[in-house]
Structures are given as C-alpha cells and as structure tokens.
C-alpha cells in the first residue's frame, strides 16, 4: 500500500508540473506584463528596464524554473494587477465562498442521490422511480444558468422567500480575517440555498443514475444470491452486501466530479453574484489580469489533482482486493 500511495503522489507531482508548464507557456503568448503593470505613459526605455528587473528577458525555462521555485518555497504565484496584491492572497480571500458553495452542493448530492438511487434500483417499476428517472433526464438537459434564473424567479421574485444574490451575513471563522463564513449565520445559510441547489442540478442526475445502475448490477451477482439463500434480512443484503460494493465506483466518480465542480462554479457565481473564485476569475478576464488568471488555473488544477489523488488512495483502502503492481 505504501508503494501505491507513493506512486499516486509522484503522479500528482508530475501532472502538476505538466499543467504549470502549459499554463506558464500560455502566459508567454498573451499580453505584456510590463504594460499591465505601469500603463501606457511609461517610455519604451523605462519599460525595457522594468522588464529586465522583473526577469522577463530571461530564457523561457529560466523564468519557469524561477516560477516553480517561488511557488514551492514561498507560495508566490505572482502579483495581481487588478487587486495590487499577491495572487495567492487574492485567491485565498475568495476561496472560502467557493469551498462552501461546493461543500453545500456535495452535501445535497449525497443526501438526495444515495436514497433515491438505491430506491430506483430496488423498485425500478414504481411510480417514484419512474418520476425520478424522468426528472433526472430533464435535469441533465437543462443548463446551470437557466436553472439558476428559474430558481431566482420562483423563490426570490415570485414567492420572495430566499435571497437572490451575495453571501449575506458572514462571520470571521478563525478571528484572523482569512475565512469569513456564512455557514454560522441564518442569513448566510439562506443565501447559500439557491446557489447550491442550482449547482447540484449539474451532478445530481448523474449520481442518481450511476448509483441505480451500479446497485442493479450488484444485485444480480452470485454473492448476493448466496446472501438471499442464507436467509439474511433484506436490509442487510441491500445495505451491507450490495450497497458497500456499489460505493466503490461511485466514490471514484464523486472525487472526479468534485474537482470539476470547482471549475463549474463560474456560471453559478456569476448569476448569483457569489464572491468566490469563479466570480474573481471572470473579473480578471474582463480586466485582462493575466497574472491572476494564470495563478487561478494553477490553483484549480492543484485542487483537482489533490482531490483525485486522495480519492485514489481511499479507493485502495476501501477495496483491499484491488491488485496493484508490486502490492496487493
């Protein structure tokens, strides 16, 4: 198992190096950092001096090596021209809103998809099962922004029971100014409901269908038939024998989708004016803050790789029968 964990971590490091190299190459192709930093009124000679001081005239791999060194040793991903702050500081300031949005969305997906998926697998011909599968098809077909607008119209405009934008009232979680959370206030929780529901419609139908199909497949295996022959209680057969083996592929897909969800918060944050990393990214695009865009892509890629690495390792612990090269 140690060799398995080591290989997964090594793969994650290699993937991050490749991603950072690709992102850094994009940075070299678009925009002029000196112009973004000082504007148009500085002379060409002064620009050349600034570029030399910033190391922009160095060879590509020299700049890339310096970027990796500063990122690893100092956590320095450059400086935002829009906020006039270090990029990592700007991202960390916006990260709590996105993390809480993804956490709330994941909670909705887990709470709803698990019981509905199991129910649809065990009783596929019942009315609730048919309705759930039809509704899941509709959910997959509707884009997130359209669902968000519909929810705003119903709950914020028509019924006026939930807020339609912003995070609402927040509190400083650790007393250090780094994490302002709305999870500890009633107003903050109210503001979180519509964005989480909207974002969950992107993944919820997928997991209902995945759990249903995996559960139905497991229920046809020989060991389940043997469990029935032993006279075990239905609840034990369903939840202990069948559901446990259903979870393995679901956990793998869930880890991948959680990583993807960080990137898919863009539209949801835009519609609900949610001040997270997605909204920050769109502001950086509008203001051509290339340095912040590059840092954002590196951070999101790191989150995606980290989540998938953790899921791979957990999969190895959950399923001890998985054969790994050199280990079991």
């Amino acid at each position: 198992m140690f060799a398995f964990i080591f290989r997964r971590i090594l793969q994650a490091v290699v993937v991050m190096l490749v991603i950072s190299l690709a992102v850094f190459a994009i940075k070299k192709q678009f925009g002029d950092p000196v112009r973004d930093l000082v504007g148009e009124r500085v002379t060409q000679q002064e620009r050349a001096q600034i570029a030399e001081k910033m190391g922009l005239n160095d060879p590509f791999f020299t700049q890339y090596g310096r970027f990796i060194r500063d990122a690893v040793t100092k956590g320095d991903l450059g400086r935002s021209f829009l906020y006039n702050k270090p990029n990592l500081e700007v991202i960390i300031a916006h990260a709590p809103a996105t993390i809480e949005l993804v956490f709330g969305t994941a909670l909705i997906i887990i709470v709803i998809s698990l019981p509905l998926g199991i129910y649809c697998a065990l009783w596929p011909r019942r009315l609730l099962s048919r309705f759930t599968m039809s509704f899941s098809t509709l959910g997959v077909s509707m884009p997130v922004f359209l669902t968000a607008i519909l929810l705003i119209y119903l709950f914020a405009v028509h019924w006026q029971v939930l807020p339609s934008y912003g995070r609402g009232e927040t509190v400083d979680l650790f007393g250090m100014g780094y994490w302002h959370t709305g999870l500890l206030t009633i107003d903050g929780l109210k503001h979180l409901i519509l964005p989480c529901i909207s974002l969950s419609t992107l993944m919820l139908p997928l997991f209902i269908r995945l759990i249903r199909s995996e559960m139905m497949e497991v229920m046809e295996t020989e060991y389940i038939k043997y469990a029935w022959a032993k006279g075990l209680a239905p609840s034990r057969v369903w939840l202990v024998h069948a559901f446990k083996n259903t979870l393995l592929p679901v956990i793998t897909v869930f880890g991948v989708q959680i990583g993807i969800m960080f990137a898919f918060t863009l539209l949801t944050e835009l519609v609900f004016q949610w001040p997270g990393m997605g909204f920050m990214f769109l502001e950086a695009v509008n203001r051509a803050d290339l340095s912040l865009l590059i840092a954002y892509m590196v951070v999101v890629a790191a989150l995606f790789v980290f989540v998938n690495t953790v899921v791979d390792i957990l999969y190895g612990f959950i399923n001890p029968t998985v054969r790994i090269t050199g280990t079991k």
Side-chain angles (χ1 to χ4, degrees):
M1 182 57 71
F2 176 78
F4 170 66
I5 295 175
F6 178 77
R7 281 200 305 272
R8 286 295 180 268
I9 294 176
L10 184 61
Q11 289 173 2
V13 172
V14 172
V15 169
M16 279 307 305
L17 287 174
V18 173
I19 291 174
S20 62
L21 179 61
V23 169
F24 197 79
I26 293 174
K27 181 179 179 179
K28 293 290 293 181
Q29 301 299 322
F30 295 95
D32 181 3
V34 177
R35 183 193 61 193
D36 296 334
L37 182 64
V38 301
E40 298 287 348
R41 298 184 178 181
V42 177
T43 64
Q44 192 67 31
Q45 183 179 0
E46 290 173 327
R47 287 189 187 182
Q49 293 175 351
I50 295 173
E52 183 66 30
K53 185 178 179 180
M54 295 174 64
L56 298 178
N57 296 330
D58 294 339
F60 172 79
F61 283 103
T62 301
Q63 295 185 48
Y64 175 70
R66 186 165 54 240
F67 173 78
I68 293 297
R69 182 198 63 199
D70 292 343
V72 172
T73 60
K74 306 176 184 177
D76 183 7
L77 296 177
R79 192 173 186 84
S80 169
F81 308 128
L82 174 61
Y83 293 91
N84 195 26
K85 294 179 180 178
N87 288 323
L88 195 59
E89 182 180 328
V90 176
I91 293 172
I92 290 175
H94 289 82
T98 298
I99 293 173
E100 290 177 8
L101 179 59
V102 172
F103 171 77
T105 302
L107 194 61
I108 290 174
I109 292 173
I110 293 171
V111 169
I112 295 179
S113 66
L114 287 180
L116 278 181
I118 295 173
Y119 182 90
C120 293
L122 297 178
W123 299 285
R125 297 185 181 277
R126 291 190 178 180
L127 181 61
L128 179 58
S129 299
R130 295 177 183 271
F131 174 78
T132 300
M133 298 311 296
S134 300
F135 193 77
S136 66
T137 303
L138 178 64
V140 171
S141 305
M142 288 185 64
V144 175
F145 71 89
L146 184 60
T147 304
I149 293 172
L150 180 62
L151 290 173
I152 290 174
Y153 173 75
L154 290 176
F155 291 95
V157 178
H158 185 68
W159 292 323
Q160 297 183 358
V161 293
L162 291 172
S164 60
Y165 67 92
R167 293 187 71 192
E169 183 183 355
T170 60
V171 295
D172 191 347
L173 187 60
F174 302 109
M176 302 175 63
Y178 289 107
W179 194 298
H180 292 273
T181 179
L183 297 177
L184 301 179
T185 65
I186 300 298
D187 187 54
L189 290 173
K190 286 182 178 180
H191 280 78
L192 194 62
I193 292 174
L194 290 185
C196 286
I197 294 176
S198 173
L199 188 58
S200 67
T201 58
L202 185 69
M203 307 294 181
L204 186 58
L206 167 67
F207 281 96
I208 292 175
R209 289 176 170 272
L210 178 63
I211 293 170
R212 174 183 178 271
S213 62
E214 292 293 334
M215 188 80 170
M216 292 179 72
E217 184 178 344
V218 169
M219 290 297 293
E220 297 297 326
T221 56
E222 294 298 326
Y223 68 86
I224 295 296
K225 295 177 182 179
Y226 179 67
W228 286 121
K230 288 171 61 179
L232 297 179
S235 59
R236 182 172 179 82
V237 175
W238 294 336
L239 300 179
V240 177
H241 294 277
F243 181 62
K244 181 180 179 181
N245 290 281
T246 299
L247 276 180
L248 296 176
V250 173
I251 289 174
T252 302
V253 176
F254 185 75
V256 174
Q257 296 300 324
I258 287 296
I260 293 174
M261 206 179 296
F262 276 97
F264 271 95
T265 58
L266 285 169
L267 290 176
T268 303
E269 292 187 5
L270 177 62
V271 174
F272 290 98
Q273 296 293 290
W274 191 262
M277 292 193 299
F279 193 73
M280 174 208 72
F281 176 81
L282 293 174
E283 282 189 322
V285 171
N286 292 330
R287 300 291 292 273
D289 191 345
L290 186 62
S291 178
L292 183 56
L293 295 178
I294 300 302
Y296 169 82
M297 286 188 281
V298 170
V299 169
V300 170
L303 285 172
F304 185 85
V305 171
F306 173 76
V307 170
N308 280 275
T309 302
V310 171
V311 169
D312 283 346
I313 294 173
L314 288 178
Y315 191 92
F317 279 108
I318 294 172
N319 187 7
T321 63
V322 174
R323 297 184 65 88
I324 308 164
T325 305
T327 61
K328 292 187 178 179

